[in-house]
Amino acid sequence: MRIFSGIQPTGRKHLGNYIGAISQYVEGQDRGDAIYCIVDLHAITVAYEPAALRQSVYDTAATLLAAGLDPDRCIFFRQADVREHTELCWLLSAVTAYGELTRMTQFKDKSASQRELVSAGLFIYPVLQAADVLAYRAHEVPVGEDQRQHVELMRDVAQRFNARFGETLVAPEVRLPAVGARIMDLQFPDRKMSTTGGSPQGTVLVLDDPDTVTKKIRSSVTDSGSEVVRGPEKPGITNLIEILAAVSDSTPSEIERQFDGQGYGAFKQAVADAVIAYLAPVRERYDELRADEGALEQVFAAGADKARAIAAGTVADVRDAMGVGAVR
Ligand code: ATP
Ligand code: MG
C-alpha cells in the first residue's frame, strides 16, 4: 500500500495542519510505503518572496522531522527537486476538465483574497496536485477535509486517463483523520484554521510557546451558553471539543461526558493544557533540526533520488500511452 501527501511551505504550520495532516503522515509510516513532499511549486501560485520561501521550506521540513517523519521509513523530499511532477502536470492537463477546475472551492476562496494577481498557477494548482500523487501511483492520500475535493478531482483525472489511453494510473482514496479533519479558526469558527487566510489570534502555531497557546485558546470565541456540548449553534465550543478529542486520542462524545456540568473556563484551560502537551515534543526537537540547513538539504537530496526513481517510470508510461516524445 502506497501513501502520498504534500504540504505547503507557506508560513508556519498550525494545529489544523498537525491534526489533519502531519499526525496522519507520522502514522502512515507504519501502515505502508509513505511518500511525503514539501510542495514549493504550489507555494509560488500566490504572492511570495523567493528568499522567504527557501526559509519556509526549511521551517516546514524541520517541523515534519520533529513531528516524527523518519527519512529511513518514508521518502521525504522537496517537490521542485523532482521535475517529473511538472511534466506530468502538463500531460494530465489534457485530461482535466476546465469546468471541473472552475468548481474548486479552494480556487474561489484564494483567488478572491489575492490583491494583485490571480495567477493561472492558482487555477491549475489541482492538476499539479494530481500529478504529485499520480506520479507515485499512490493508493491513499492523507489530508484534511478541505482537500477532499482536490482528491476527488485527481481520481477523475486518473480514471479519465485510463479510459482514454489504457490502464496506466491508480485512482487514489482520500484518508481523513477520524476526528479533527477540519479544525476551525479560534476567532472565526465558521472558517477553517489556515496558514494564509486565518486570523493570527485564531491560529495556534505548532511552534507557539505554552503561554501563547493558552492565551489563544482561552480567548477563543464561544457562545453565551455554558454547556460543553456540540451543536450547529455552538461552532466555537464544537471546535474546541474536536481539538481536545483529537489531541487526547479520545472522541467528541467522551469529551462531552467528561466535561458535563463544568464551565467554559475550566474546559478551555483543559484544552490549552492538552494542546501544549501534544505539541511539546515537536517544539523540543525543532530548533536543533532547523539549525542544520546542510543536513536538511541532504535529507532532501536523498529523498528526491528515491522519489525520482518511481516518478520517472510513471511519466515514461504516461508519455508512451499518450504517444508523445520518442518511442521507448
Ligand atoms: P493555506 O491556507 O495556504 O492553503 P493550509 O493551512 O491549508 O494553507 P496546506 O499546506 O495547504 O496548509 O495544507 C496541508 C495539509 O493540512 C492539507 O492536508 C490540509 O488538508 C490540512 N489542513 C489545512 N488546514 C486544516 C484544518 N484547518 N484542519 C484540518 N486539516 C487542515
Ligand atoms: Mg491549504
Side-chain angles (χ1 to χ4, degrees), residues 5 26 43 105 109-110 114-115 126 158 194 271 276 281-282 320:
S5 194
V26 176
T105 56
D109 293 347
K110 290 197 177 178
Q114 290 307 301
R115 286 204 205 96
S194 155
V271 177
I276 291 164
V282 190
D320 279 354

mmCIF file of all heavy atoms in Angstrom, residues 5 26 43 105 109-110 114-115 126 158 194 271 276 281-282 320:
data_model
loop_
_atom_site.group_PDB
_atom_site.id
_atom_site.type_symbol
_atom_site.label_atom_id
_atom_site.label_comp_id
_atom_site.label_asym_id
_atom_site.label_seq_id
_atom_site.Cartn_x
_atom_site.Cartn_y
_atom_site.Cartn_z
ATOM 1 N N SER A 5 1.380 12.288 0.342
ATOM 2 C CA SER A 5 0.762 13.573 0.646
ATOM 3 C C SER A 5 1.795 14.684 0.549
ATOM 4 O O SER A 5 2.993 14.450 0.696
ATOM 5 C CB SER A 5 0.111 13.562 2.032
ATOM 6 O OG SER A 5 -0.747 14.682 2.161
ATOM 7 N N VAL A 26 2.801 10.757 10.107
ATOM 8 C CA VAL A 26 3.671 10.001 11.013
ATOM 9 C C VAL A 26 3.147 8.571 11.135
ATOM 10 O O VAL A 26 3.901 7.606 10.999
ATOM 11 C CB VAL A 26 3.730 10.700 12.395
ATOM 12 C CG1 VAL A 26 4.543 9.879 13.377
ATOM 13 C CG2 VAL A 26 4.326 12.105 12.257
ATOM 14 N N ALA A 43 3.460 26.671 -3.647
ATOM 15 C CA ALA A 43 3.532 27.921 -2.880
ATOM 16 C C ALA A 43 3.722 29.142 -3.777
ATOM 17 O O ALA A 43 3.392 30.256 -3.385
ATOM 18 C CB ALA A 43 4.672 27.840 -1.860
ATOM 19 N N THR A 105 -13.415 24.885 -4.736
ATOM 20 C CA THR A 105 -13.679 25.939 -3.743
ATOM 21 C C THR A 105 -12.378 26.610 -3.294
ATOM 22 O O THR A 105 -12.381 27.788 -2.967
ATOM 23 C CB THR A 105 -14.426 25.383 -2.510
ATOM 24 O OG1 THR A 105 -13.667 24.313 -1.983
ATOM 25 C CG2 THR A 105 -15.801 24.884 -2.879
ATOM 26 N N ASP A 109 -11.900 30.618 -3.112
ATOM 27 C CA ASP A 109 -11.504 31.324 -1.887
ATOM 28 C C ASP A 109 -10.205 32.089 -2.074
ATOM 29 O O ASP A 109 -10.098 33.255 -1.726
ATOM 30 C CB ASP A 109 -11.295 30.330 -0.729
ATOM 31 C CG ASP A 109 -12.602 29.680 -0.308
ATOM 32 O OD1 ASP A 109 -13.673 30.177 -0.728
ATOM 33 O OD2 ASP A 109 -12.552 28.669 0.427
ATOM 34 N N LYS A 110 -9.193 31.395 -2.611
ATOM 35 C CA LYS A 110 -7.868 32.027 -2.682
ATOM 36 C C LYS A 110 -7.820 33.115 -3.742
ATOM 37 O O LYS A 110 -7.127 34.115 -3.559
ATOM 38 C CB LYS A 110 -6.780 30.981 -2.923
ATOM 39 C CG LYS A 110 -6.559 30.092 -1.708
ATOM 40 C CD LYS A 110 -5.251 29.341 -1.757
ATOM 41 C CE LYS A 110 -5.100 28.549 -0.476
ATOM 42 N NZ LYS A 110 -3.881 27.747 -0.436
ATOM 43 N N GLN A 114 -6.633 37.407 -3.356
ATOM 44 C CA GLN A 114 -5.399 37.930 -3.972
ATOM 45 C C GLN A 114 -5.581 39.397 -4.326
ATOM 46 O O GLN A 114 -6.551 39.755 -4.999
ATOM 47 C CB GLN A 114 -5.059 37.137 -5.248
ATOM 48 C CG GLN A 114 -4.595 35.721 -4.973
ATOM 49 C CD GLN A 114 -3.449 35.640 -3.979
ATOM 50 O OE1 GLN A 114 -2.394 36.204 -4.198
ATOM 51 N NE2 GLN A 114 -3.670 34.950 -2.876
ATOM 52 N N ARG A 115 -4.640 40.246 -3.902
ATOM 53 C CA ARG A 115 -4.799 41.678 -4.169
ATOM 54 C C ARG A 115 -4.281 42.082 -5.539
ATOM 55 O O ARG A 115 -4.828 42.949 -6.196
ATOM 56 C CB ARG A 115 -4.080 42.496 -3.096
ATOM 57 C CG ARG A 115 -4.867 42.457 -1.812
ATOM 58 C CD ARG A 115 -4.576 43.641 -0.910
ATOM 59 N NE ARG A 115 -4.885 43.230 0.456
ATOM 60 C CZ ARG A 115 -3.985 42.787 1.303
ATOM 61 N NH1 ARG A 115 -2.715 42.727 0.948
ATOM 62 N NH2 ARG A 115 -4.338 42.405 2.512
ATOM 63 N N PRO A 126 -4.756 22.286 -8.769
ATOM 64 C CA PRO A 126 -5.190 20.899 -8.547
ATOM 65 C C PRO A 126 -4.627 19.906 -9.576
ATOM 66 O O PRO A 126 -4.559 18.712 -9.287
ATOM 67 C CB PRO A 126 -6.720 20.969 -8.677
ATOM 68 C CG PRO A 126 -7.069 22.406 -8.463
ATOM 69 C CD PRO A 126 -5.912 23.190 -9.007
ATOM 70 N N ALA A 158 -7.391 10.453 -13.126
ATOM 71 C CA ALA A 158 -6.786 9.120 -13.329
ATOM 72 C C ALA A 158 -7.732 8.216 -14.116
ATOM 73 O O ALA A 158 -7.314 7.518 -15.055
ATOM 74 C CB ALA A 158 -6.443 8.488 -11.980
ATOM 75 N N SER A 194 -6.117 28.353 9.028
ATOM 76 C CA SER A 194 -5.411 28.376 7.752
ATOM 77 C C SER A 194 -4.095 29.134 7.851
ATOM 78 O O SER A 194 -3.968 30.081 8.631
ATOM 79 C CB SER A 194 -6.334 29.023 6.711
ATOM 80 O OG SER A 194 -5.597 29.602 5.664
ATOM 81 N N VAL A 271 -8.311 22.269 27.426
ATOM 82 C CA VAL A 271 -7.936 22.178 26.006
ATOM 83 C C VAL A 271 -6.520 22.735 25.821
ATOM 84 O O VAL A 271 -5.673 22.116 25.172
ATOM 85 C CB VAL A 271 -8.939 22.950 25.107
ATOM 86 C CG1 VAL A 271 -8.484 22.909 23.642
ATOM 87 C CG2 VAL A 271 -10.351 22.384 25.244
ATOM 88 N N ILE A 276 -0.836 21.970 24.543
ATOM 89 C CA ILE A 276 0.569 22.239 24.885
ATOM 90 C C ILE A 276 1.329 20.911 25.026
ATOM 91 O O ILE A 276 2.429 20.746 24.474
ATOM 92 C CB ILE A 276 0.664 23.080 26.183
ATOM 93 C CG1 ILE A 276 0.148 24.497 25.907
ATOM 94 C CG2 ILE A 276 2.091 23.119 26.725
ATOM 95 C CD1 ILE A 276 -0.167 25.316 27.157
ATOM 96 N N PRO A 281 6.687 17.800 22.288
ATOM 97 C CA PRO A 281 7.819 17.064 21.714
ATOM 98 C C PRO A 281 8.324 17.681 20.414
ATOM 99 O O PRO A 281 9.527 17.643 20.123
ATOM 100 C CB PRO A 281 7.241 15.664 21.434
ATOM 101 C CG PRO A 281 6.002 15.568 22.267
ATOM 102 C CD PRO A 281 5.487 16.958 22.438
ATOM 103 N N VAL A 282 7.435 18.271 19.627
ATOM 104 C CA VAL A 282 7.851 18.887 18.365
ATOM 105 C C VAL A 282 8.692 20.129 18.649
ATOM 106 O O VAL A 282 9.749 20.340 18.051
ATOM 107 C CB VAL A 282 6.620 19.282 17.508
ATOM 108 C CG1 VAL A 282 7.059 19.698 16.117
ATOM 109 C CG2 VAL A 282 5.624 18.142 17.434
ATOM 110 N N ASP A 320 4.339 7.231 -23.173
ATOM 111 C CA ASP A 320 4.104 6.145 -24.137
ATOM 112 C C ASP A 320 2.625 6.045 -24.473
ATOM 113 O O ASP A 320 2.232 5.992 -25.629
ATOM 114 C CB ASP A 320 4.527 4.797 -23.529
ATOM 115 C CG ASP A 320 6.026 4.586 -23.636
ATOM 116 O OD1 ASP A 320 6.698 5.425 -24.265
ATOM 117 O OD2 ASP A 320 6.512 3.578 -23.071
#
